[in-house]
């Protein structure tokens, strides 16, 4: 199977700041702007900030944004706690073990945490149990040094987010402190690497970041290279293989989920376009059930909804037909009209709209559409053909209120035409029988009813009743009435699909 290479998504940086009112004031805005300036020219990254961060904001922002890098900027206590804000803007701390527990839940996407606060070593060590690379501080750090470190770090940041590239960015951050003339504080930041299995899992994630279908000889070579890397990092070959196999399993499961979502989205789009609120809600439930991210879904929607075929005459016709199957005739009319607007020589769309008009008893509009479809006689589909259009126009003429002999004659002519075009549809013969009965042409009606029986019309009881009614109207037909009454009494079938309303007059 061919290996599929996809365009890598932008890497996300979540920048969280907190400067409580009862703490010494910091220039966090300068640090944030410096980071933005460095990432502005790097198309691989996007940054989101959250100012005046409260403890609950940390969890919400990380879980919702799903960043690869989380950057804390603000204050830290000597006990290793990060200082955030309460509802009144005062200091509210988060203990190291609590924040570390949060990162244990986001190892699938967070690859690096930067804690650019004072006394962040304890916090960094706790987080490094779950995250490949964590940067903290050994002791207190000045505002200027913190800003310079961030400037240097994001200048050197490489989108592969490997341990090597992150270590390089860390070193350049320390050098940036020195370049500002600060010859002491460049030793304050420290980098803590996660356990070998944590770091290797991150390396595997990075290596497979461009691959959605892990098959082929190139991927086999990649797996071999990664296995060697894992052993160099201190893992056994089996441990390395297990991590790689787990990643491949997740990739395959994710691809299956993507395909499942795509299939359901395409199916919904055959019914409606644009998506209704109820369909969006259904897709959201599916997204949650398949464990797809908002980014996954956004990419799927952008790819599928940008397809010009969605707005084609054929697609609008399909949606119209789909709505007729749901008995949503008003919406079907709208969609068939869109198809006709795209192609005004689309007989099947006129025929479908005509049938929908008939269902809501707008028979004059139905007849107009059926007639247009017949006159054009081009671009038919499986569900709407020329003979079916004659048949349906006959129904519209017959059901037209008030019912007139003139319209009934037109209905008969259409049903005969449907039969002439090769249809042995027994309903056409039955309907001709109804029309003749209405016109009091009882012998012709009986003949048509018998033809319907010959061609396998399912509602035998209805036919027997019609024949008996005709013989009764003719008079002096006791023998025939008796024979057909006996047949009627022995019949239990009663299907009436595809016949005019009020057929038992």
């Amino acid at each position: 199977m061919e290996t599929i290479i996809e365009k890598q998504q932008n890497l996300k940086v979540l920048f969280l700041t907190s400067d409580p009112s009862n703490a010494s004031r910091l220039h966090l805005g300068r640090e944030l702007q410096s980071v933005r300036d460095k990432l502005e020219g790097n198309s691989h990254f996007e940054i989101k900030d959250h100012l005046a961060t409260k403890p609950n904001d940390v969890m919400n922002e990380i879980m919702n944004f799903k960043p690869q890098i989380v950057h804390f900027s603000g204050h830290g206590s000597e006990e290793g706690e990060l200082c955030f804000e309460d509802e009144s803007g005062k200091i509210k701390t988060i203990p190291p073990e609590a924040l570390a527990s949060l990162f244990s839940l986001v190892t699938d996407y967070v690859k690096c945490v930067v804690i650019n606060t004072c006394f962040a070593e304890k916090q960094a060590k706790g987080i490094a149990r779950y995250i490949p690379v964590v940067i903290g501080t050994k002791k207190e750090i000045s505002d200027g040094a913190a800003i310079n470190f961030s400037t240097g770090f994001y200048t050197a940041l490489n989108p592969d987010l490997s341990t090597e590239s992150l270590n390089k960015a860390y070193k350049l951050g320390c050098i940036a402190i020195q370049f500002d003339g600060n010859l002491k504080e460049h030793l304050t930041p420290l980098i803590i690497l996660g356990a070998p299995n944590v770091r290797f899992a991150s390396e595997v994630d990075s290596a497979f970041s461009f691959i959605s279908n892990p098959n082929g000889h190139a991927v086999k070579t990649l797996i071999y290279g990664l296995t060697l890397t894992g052993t160099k990092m201190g893992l056994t070959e089996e441990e390395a293989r297990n991590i790689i196999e787990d990643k491949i399993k997740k990739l395959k499961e994710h691809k299956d989920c993507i395909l499942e979502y795509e299939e359901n989205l395409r199916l919904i789009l055959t019914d409606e376009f644009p998506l209704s609120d109820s369909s969006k809600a259904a897709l959201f439930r599916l997204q949650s059930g398949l464990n797809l991210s908002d980014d996954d879904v956004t990419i799927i929607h952008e790819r599928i909804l940008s397809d010009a075929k969605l707005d084609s005459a054929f697609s609008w016709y399909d949606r119209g037909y789909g709505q007729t199957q749901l008995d949503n005739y008003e919406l079907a009319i709208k969609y068939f009209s869109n198809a006709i607007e795209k192609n005004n020589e689309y007989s099947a769309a006129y025929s479908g709209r005509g049938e929908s008009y008939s269902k809501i008893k707008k028979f004059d509009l139905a007849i107009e559409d059926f007639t247009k479809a017949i006159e054009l006689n081009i671009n038919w589909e499986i569900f709407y053909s020329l003979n079916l259009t004659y048949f349906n126009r006959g129904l519209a003429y017959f059901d037209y209120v008030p019912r007139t002999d003139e319209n009934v004659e037109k209905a008969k002519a259409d049903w005969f035409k449907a039969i002439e075009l090769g249809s042995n549809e027994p309903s056409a013969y039955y309907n001709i029988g109804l029309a003749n009965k209405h016109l009091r042409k009882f012998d012709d009606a009986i003949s048509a009813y018998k033809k319907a029986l010959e061609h396998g019309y399912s509602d035998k009881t209805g036919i027997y009743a019609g024949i008996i009614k005709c013989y009764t109207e003719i008079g002096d037909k006791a023998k025939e009435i008796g024979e057909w009454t006996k047949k009627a009494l022995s019949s239990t079938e009663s299907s009436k699909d595809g016949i005019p309303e009020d057929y038992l007059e």
Side-chain angles (χ1 to χ4, degrees), residues 131-150:
I131 302 301
V133 177
V134 185
I135 295 169
T137 54
K138 299 175 183 177
K139 56 184 180 179
E140 188 174 4
I141 187 170
S142 68
D143 203 8
I147 294 172
N148 287 327
F149 177 83
S150 289

Side-chain angles (χ1 to χ4, degrees), residues 437-453:
K437 181 161 70 73
H438 173 83
L439 296 168
R440 304 190 65 77
K441 297 178 179 180
F442 300 116
D443 288 327
D444 290 342
I446 292 169
S447 176
Y449 285 141
K450 290 179 179 179
K451 282 279 189 180
L453 283 175

Side-chain angles (χ1 to χ4, degrees), residues 27-322:
H27 296 96
L28 301 183
R30 284 174 51 195
E31 182 181 355
L32 173 58
Q33 188 57 52
S34 174
V35 173
R36 284 193 175 281
D37 289 344
K38 294 305 176 184
L39 293 181
E40 188 177 54
N42 193 333
S43 60
H44 297 288
F45 291 94
E46 63 175 291
I47 183 171
K48 179 182 180 183
D49 63 75
H50 192 285
L51 310 181
T53 305
K54 301 177 181 61
N56 284 341
D57 296 334
V58 178
M59 179 174 60
N60 292 336
E61 290 294 329
I62 292 175
M63 300 295 280
N64 292 331
F65 188 53
K66 293 181 170 53
Q68 283 71 45
I69 297 176
V70 179
H71 185 120
F72 294 100
S73 183
H75 299 269
S77 71
E78 293 187 37
E79 292 75 26
E81 298 175 323
L82 285 184
C83 299
F84 294 94
E85 299 184 21
D86 62 17
E87 294 300 327
S88 62
K90 305 291 185 176
I91 291 176
K92 178 74 173 180
T93 60
I94 296 181
E97 59 272 14
L99 197 56
S101 296
L102 170 60
F103 282 101
S104 71
L105 302 176
V106 295
T107 56
D108 284 348
Y109 46 89
V110 177
K111 304 304 175 188
C112 176
V113 177
V114 179
I115 310 174
N116 206 13
T117 70
C118 299
F119 310 109
E121 183 174 5
K122 185 177 180 180
Q123 186 71 262
K125 287 180 177 179
I127 295 173
R129 297 202 305 270
Y130 310 106
I131 302 301
V133 177
V134 185
I135 295 169
T137 54
K138 299 175 183 177
K139 56 184 180 179
E140 188 174 4
I141 187 170
S142 68
D143 203 8
I147 294 172
N148 287 327
F149 177 83
S150 289
T151 301
F153 179 83
Y154 287 101
T155 297
L157 192 59
N158 191 294
D160 69 6
L161 296 187
S162 65
T163 301
E164 182 181 353
S165 67
L166 288 168
N167 189 46
K168 179 181 177 182
Y170 158 74
K171 289 179 178 179
L172 191 61
C174 295
I175 292 172
I177 296 175
Q178 286 181 292
F179 265 49
D180 196 42
N182 190 333
L183 302 181
K184 295 181 180 180
E185 288 191 280
H186 74 284
L187 299 175
T188 300
L190 78 160
I191 185 168
I192 300 174
L193 303 182
N197 63 313
V198 173
R199 288 185 286 116
F200 181 64
S202 179
E203 294 282 346
V204 172
D205 284 342
S206 297
F208 279 94
S209 62
F210 288 92
I211 300 173
S212 66
N213 188 13
N215 295 284
H217 293 295
V219 175
K220 290 179 181 178
T221 302
L222 174 63
I223 291 171
Y224 178 61
L226 283 170
T227 304
L228 294 176
T229 299
T231 57
K232 288 179 182 178
M233 295 174 71
L235 299 175
T236 67
E237 185 173 327
E238 182 181 2
E239 288 172 331
R241 286 280 184 177
N242 287 339
I243 291 173
I244 295 169
E245 288 173 4
D246 182 63
K247 177 63 178 180
I248 291 174
K249 179 182 177 182
K250 288 180 179 178
L251 276 174
K252 290 180 177 178
E253 290 174 349
H254 183 258
K255 184 171 182 62
D256 288 342
C257 290
I258 291 287
L259 293 174
E260 181 74 17
Y261 188 94
E262 285 185 353
E263 181 181 357
N264 280 273
L265 175 58
R266 291 184 189 280
L267 285 172
I268 290 174
L269 288 170
T270 63
D271 286 340
E272 62 178 44
F273 181 67
L275 296 172
S276 65
D277 289 341
S278 60
S279 292
K280 289 177 182 177
L283 286 167
F284 177 77
R285 290 293 182 186
L286 179 61
Q287 174 189 347
S288 178
L290 295 173
N291 199 30
L292 295 177
S293 69
D294 289 342
D295 284 339
D296 291 330
V297 169
T298 297
I299 290 171
I300 294 169
H301 279 245
E302 286 178 350
R303 181 172 66 250
I304 293 178
L305 296 178
S306 64
D307 188 348
K309 293 180 181 178
L310 280 177
D311 195 31
S312 68
F314 179 77
S315 293
W316 286 114
Y317 166 85
D318 273 354
R319 293 185 195 104
Y321 177 75

